Amino acid sequence: MATEKILDVRDVSTAFKIDGHFYDAVTHVNLQIKKDEILAIVGESGCGKSTLATTIMGLHDPAETKISGEIDFEGTNLVGLPEDKYNKIRGAKIGMIFQDPLSSLNPLKRVEDQIKEVMDYHTDLSSEKKHARVIELLSQMGIVNPERTAHQFPHELSGGMRQRVVIAIAIACKPDLLIADEPTTALDVTIQAQILDVLLNIQKENHAGIVLITHDLGVVAQTADKVAVMYAGQIVEYGSTKQIFKTPKHPYTRSLLRSIPQLGGESDDLYVISGNVPSLQKMPASGDRFASRIPWIPASDHEKNPQMHEVSSGHLVRCTCYKSFYFPDQKKKKVANELN
Amino acid sequence: MWKTILRRILIMIPEIIILSIIVFLLAKAMPGDPFTGSINPRAGVAQIHHLMEVNGLYDPWYQQYWNWVVHLFHGNLGESYQYNEPVTRIIGQRAVNTLWLSLFTVVLTYLIALPMGIYAGRHEGKLPDTVIRFYTYVTYCIPFFVILVLGIWIFGYVLGWFPTTGSVSPTANGTFATIGSRFYHMLLPGILGALFGTVNIVQYLRSEVVDAKSSDYVRTARAKGVPINDIYRHHIFRNSLLPIAAFAGYSITGLLNGAIFTESVFSYPGMGLLFVNSISYRDYTVITALVLLFGILNIFGTLLSDIILSIVDPRIRIE
Ligand SMILES: Nc1ncnc2c1ncn2[C@@H]1O[C@H](COP(=O)(O)OP(=O)(O)OP(=O)(O)O)[C@@H](O)[C@H]1O
Ligand code: SF4
Ligand SMILES: [Mg+2]
């Protein structure tokens, strides 16, 4: 059952128009997701995670963005799909949870009406049935007094409650694919755990595929089946959660893992990746995008135009020079690393 | 919601009391005494003293203020020096004229401004938006009285399309003819006032729509699969019009200020023109009454805005 492919993103690039020029925010991305599967997309702020999500949802203004490649969703190519066809898919077959629950709801509409709205367009349930579904969804979200919450306005709810409402909207029509863009970042830690539980429970019931965008590697380790590590618009490493956490290859993945103490393993010191993700305009046109952030690696070690390589079944890494990569304090272990 | 409104009305009471005290003290501070015009000029100082005494003008100010308030409640605002008629009667008809003109102007303003603002916001950056923005900038830069003078000159004198003075033609006979004539007289000042009044609303509404378009809740609605036209109808317009609805109350202030210019230029017999004339005649009783009236109308305008806002915006309702 868990083999049915829902989404196949092939060679997708998204470019934004800035001062009359198009700059790639997402570059040649490939990924697949199946039913019942959670794919985590990780990477620092600004590396294009949200852009990829909204590209799949078709939320970009065609005048300001250029999207290429193919997004095969259950047999339909979403790239360039007309709005009216897209509107049949959005909300019904693909649900999306946004990064900021505080502003994602219309401040002037009651919770009930905002959840009902998605059903208005994708079901022909009677008003009573919709109400019943709203209450069912809200209780499923772990809301104690759903009737009361349904009648409230967003400003009367806490951040965690609002995010539950946002999730309720996303799953109201039982979509096959759920895209959750940092669903817990804006919330405090205890609420984060609750929201994640809610998501996982829903998945058990609905058998949806979930794209979980986050920069919290702890969350990834707990929930994801597969992980795509993104850097500066590109996927640099892709594999099962086990492959990524046990045998990370790419320097960026290793840097990320090393920057969280309990999962790193390579050193006890907390590692900080120097520098920042380059802005779109400053993105190097050729050569490698991560090179500037590992300055101790000699230029001759970097590939001109690194491509994805399969290192083991289903585990893909950009470039081959990961073989000789080392952290500054590991110079002497270089040989040991090569044996990896 | 009712609590908020009640609270607002309660706040209004001290506002009006303070306003009336200020107006009363201003009236007291005006030069001259209230009898000089109405008694025999040869009356002696002793006689004036006597009259002052009888009329309680040597009482402490709060006593006098109380008497004044009591008179006010009996509709007694004194007599106009200029017309030798009760102030209430003089203001009465003119207030009606101003009311009609203001109502006409405000309706016209919103009829023009709402579609313009919404259209410009929705089609931001396109040609019609550029034209509308050009229009608002130009109108914004020209002072109101210049618009009025230009308007009356071009459409009143040069083209002769509209009457240039009064509120009704003296030759109009019968109810329909009178109503028609009144409307005809309101047309040009109303249109010019509306042209001026639209500027703020158009600019405000346009930027509200532009902001709403890129808001997160609109993105959520799009992710629900709501077609764009419905998003405009159910989310963007509704949320953008909300602050505009509250403007309606505040626009009373603008209309009263505007009336002073409009009525002067068009010799339209309303409160604005009366105010200007009364100042040049130093008709203090009328000025006092008008200041009080304008003040109260302003307070009511603000109240109206707050009530509208509390009805349309759930966030400011106090449960
Ligand atoms: N509409 C847009 N126009 C121009 N540039 C954009 C637009 N949206 C995003 N960008 C740029 O694209 C890059 C990727 O942004 P994106 O929001 O996808 O990052 P992200 O990985 O989701 O980051 P975060 O973790 O902060 O949410 C950033 O450099 C951002 O400034
Ligand atoms: S060339 Fe390879 S090692 Fe060098 S920065 Fe790029 S991906 Fe990393
Ligand atoms: Mg993001």
Side-chain angles (χ1 to χ4, degrees):
Chain A
M1 188 173 88
T3 51
E4 203 178 315
K5 198 197 288 176
I6 333 175
L7 182 75
D8 190 356
V9 173
R10 284 193 291 266
D11 202 29
V12 164
S13 301
T14 305
F16 291 117
K17 195 177 185 174
I18 301 169
D19 300 330
H21 296 279
F22 282 99
Y23 297 93
D24 272 357
V26 166
T27 311
H28 301 294
V29 162
N30 288 284
L31 50 87
Q32 294 80 38
I33 187 156
K34 297 178 187 132
K35 258 191 154 172
D36 279 310
E37 191 176 61
I38 297 184
L39 168 75
I41 300 180
V42 294
E44 283 163 291
S45 195
C47 65
K49 305 181 298 291
S50 297
T51 305
L52 177 59
T54 42
T55 299
I56 298 170
M57 284 302 273
L59 296 179
H60 292 292
D61 176 0
E64 301 292 320
T65 33
K66 207 156 63 187
I67 298 172
S68 63
E70 216 178 297
I71 301 173
D72 180 340
F73 175 76
E74 298 181 339
T76 312
N77 181 13
L78 299 181
V79 175
L81 192 71
E83 275 292 297
D84 56 335
K85 296 224 173 76
Y86 233 129
N87 281 333
K88 298 252 180 317
I89 294 175
R90 284 193 287 241
K93 300 237 159 80
I94 309 180
M96 177 149 182
I97 300 161
F98 291 99
Q99 206 161 346
D100 188 359
L102 299 180
S103 55
S104 294
L105 295 169
N106 187 331
L108 303 182
K109 283 182 187 290
R110 290 183 198 282
V111 165
E112 165 149 17
D113 296 333
Q114 305 205 40
I115 303 178
K116 271 185 178 169
E117 189 178 30
V118 66
M119 294 185 248
D120 291 341
Y121 289 94
H122 305 296
T123 67
D124 15 71
L125 297 176
S126 66
S127 188
E128 294 77 48
K129 288 249 174 66
K130 279 181 208 156
H131 174 76
R133 176 81 178 130
V134 168
I135 300 304
E136 181 192 18
L137 282 164
L138 291 177
S139 356
Q140 203 180 350
M141 292 303 118
I143 289 173
V144 202
N145 192 343
E147 286 283 355
R148 181 184 141 86
T149 305
H151 198 66
Q152 281 175 313
F153 286 97
H155 72 277
E156 297 171 288
L157 306 175
S158 66
M161 290 289 266
R162 286 190 224 186
Q163 192 62 309
R164 286 166 213 254
V165 173
V166 171
I167 297 175
I169 292 173
I171 63 157
C173 296
K174 303 200 169 159
D176 297 335
L177 177 66
L178 197 58
I179 302 175
D181 187 357
E182 309 202 24
T184 58
T185 317
L187 308 171
D188 61 52
V189 186
T190 46
I191 311 289
Q192 281 186 15
Q194 292 172 11
I195 296 283
L196 280 175
D197 276 351
V198 165
L199 271 178
L200 294 179
N201 285 337
I202 293 161
Q203 192 190 27
K204 271 190 206 120
E205 287 176 37
N206 292 9
H207 302 290
I210 297 185
V211 176
L212 179 65
I213 295 172
T214 177
H215 46 231
D216 185 338
L217 289 169
V219 168
V220 176
Q222 283 167 35
T223 56
D225 303 303
K226 290 201 175 145
V227 182
V229 181
M230 228 176 147
Y231 183 77
Q234 297 176 318
I235 290 183
V236 294
E237 188 158 359
Y238 186 92
S240 70
T241 307
K242 198 173 154 205
Q243 286 167 334
I244 299 292
F245 281 89
K246 287 274 153 46
T247 56
K249 300 289 181 198
H250 193 276
Y252 181 59
T253 315
R254 286 167 63 187
S255 307
L256 277 182
L257 287 172
R258 223 179 176 225
S259 59
I260 43 167
Q262 68 274 36
L263 293 161
E266 287 193 56
S267 160
D268 289 337
D269 300 326
L270 203 58
Y271 177 71
V272 178
I273 310 173
S274 62
N276 282 309
V277 182
S279 72
L280 299 190
Q281 289 110 309
K282 299 224 177 76
M283 205 69 83
S286 69
D288 189 78
R289 297 183 167 187
F290 191 56
S292 66
R293 300 186 66 183
I294 39 174
W296 61 90
I297 301 291
S300 57
D301 276 17
H302 296 300
E303 278 184 31
K304 277 264 152 7
N305 190 14
Q307 298 297 317
M308 292 295 260
H309 301 276
E310 190 160 24
V311 285
S312 59
S313 171
H315 188 176
L316 296 147
V317 186
R318 191 169 289 281
C319 126
T320 47
C321 45
Y322 66 86
K323 288 177 183 161
S324 58
F325 173 79
Y326 55 90
F327 287 107
D329 59 325
Q330 290 178 325
K331 209 156 195 159
K332 292 178 196 80
K333 293 186 211 153
K334 193 174 164 187
V335 183
N337 236 335
E338 250 163 343
L339 297 174
N340 245 348
Chain B
M1 187 177 82
W2 292 113
K3 263 189 196 160
T4 320
I5 293 175
L6 192 73
R7 213 176 48 111
R8 246 336 248 103
I9 291 175
L10 288 179
I11 292 175
M12 198 181 75
I13 293 171
E15 279 177 0
I16 289 182
I17 293 177
I18 291 171
L19 172 79
S20 68
I21 292 178
I22 293 173
V23 170
F24 171 76
L25 293 178
L26 278 179
K28 294 275 339 159
M30 281 175 182
D33 59 69
F35 307 111
T36 321
S38 59
I39 60 169
N40 188 340
R42 271 169 299 179
V45 179
Q47 199 176 347
I48 289 181
H49 265 297
H50 175 69
L51 273 172
M52 299 276 274
E53 184 112 41
V54 168
N55 285 286
L57 290 174
Y58 290 135
D59 293 346
W61 73 270
Y62 47 86
Q63 180 71 47
Q64 291 187 46
Y65 170 71
W66 181 248
N67 292 339
W68 182 72
V69 169
V70 171
H71 277 293
L72 220 58
F73 272 100
H74 287 99
N76 182 358
L77 291 159
E79 285 219 340
S80 150
Y81 300 132
Q82 191 192 344
Y83 301 95
N84 280 325
E85 265 185 77
V87 169
T88 33
R89 196 182 312 156
I90 290 173
I91 293 181
Q93 181 51 44
R94 290 175 171 82
V96 173
N97 285 343
T98 299
L99 180 80
W100 281 118
L101 180 57
S102 301
L103 208 63
F104 177 63
T105 310
V106 98
V107 168
L108 210 57
T109 305
Y110 280 87
L111 279 180
I112 300 172
L114 297 190
M116 263 197 188
I118 285 175
Y119 194 88
R122 176 162 186 175
H123 304 282
E124 178 198 3
K126 305 260 165 58
L127 184 68
D129 174 40
T130 315
V131 172
I132 289 171
R133 286 176 73 193
F134 181 74
Y135 154 78
T136 56
Y137 284 134
V138 169
T139 320
Y140 183 75
C141 292
I142 307 175
F144 186 35
F145 69 89
V146 175
I147 294 181
L148 290 171
V149 171
L150 274 179
I152 201 170
W153 182 63
I154 295 173
F155 299 105
Y157 292 107
V158 178
L159 297 171
W161 291 351
F162 299 99
T164 53
T165 57
S167 65
V168 61
S169 162
T171 56
N173 256 324
T175 326
F176 279 114
T178 313
I179 292 177
S181 172
R182 279 187 180 281
F183 186 69
Y184 189 34
H185 279 77
M186 286 193 313
L187 264 178
L188 187 55
I191 291 171
L192 295 176
L195 283 185
F196 187 71
T198 49
V199 173
N200 280 328
I201 301 178
V202 170
Q203 287 179 342
Y204 195 90
L205 190 56
R206 179 185 178 277
S207 77
E208 284 288 311
V209 171
V210 169
D211 285 353
K213 273 202 301 197
S214 58
S215 69
D216 286 355
Y217 63 83
V218 162
R219 192 184 53 183
T220 306
R222 291 194 62 205
K224 290 179 190 176
V226 182
I228 194 72
N229 283 330
D230 288 3
I231 290 183
Y232 271 99
R233 240 177 302 143
H234 303 319
H235 294 274
I236 298 180
F237 292 158
R238 195 165 172 272
N239 290 30
S240 311
L241 285 171
L242 186 137
I244 300 292
F247 269 22
Y250 295 118
S251 65
I252 288 181
T253 315
L255 285 170
L256 289 177
N257 293 337
I260 293 175
F261 289 106
T262 317
E263 293 177 3
S264 307
V265 171
F266 280 87
S267 314
Y268 185 88
M271 289 194 292
L273 185 61
L274 179 66
F275 189 66
V276 173
N277 281 341
S278 305
I279 287 177
S280 49
Y281 279 96
R282 291 170 209 279
D283 197 345
Y284 295 127
T285 43
V286 175
I287 297 173
T288 312
L290 283 176
V291 169
L292 187 65
L293 191 63
F294 283 8
I296 291 176
L297 284 175
N298 267 328
I299 292 176
F300 268 104
T302 320
L303 173 77
L304 191 67
S305 288
D306 287 357
I307 290 180
I308 294 176
L309 211 59
S310 76
I311 290 172
V312 293
D313 191 341
R315 281 166 299 186
I316 58 166
R317 283 180 210 162
I318 295 168
E319 298 295 330

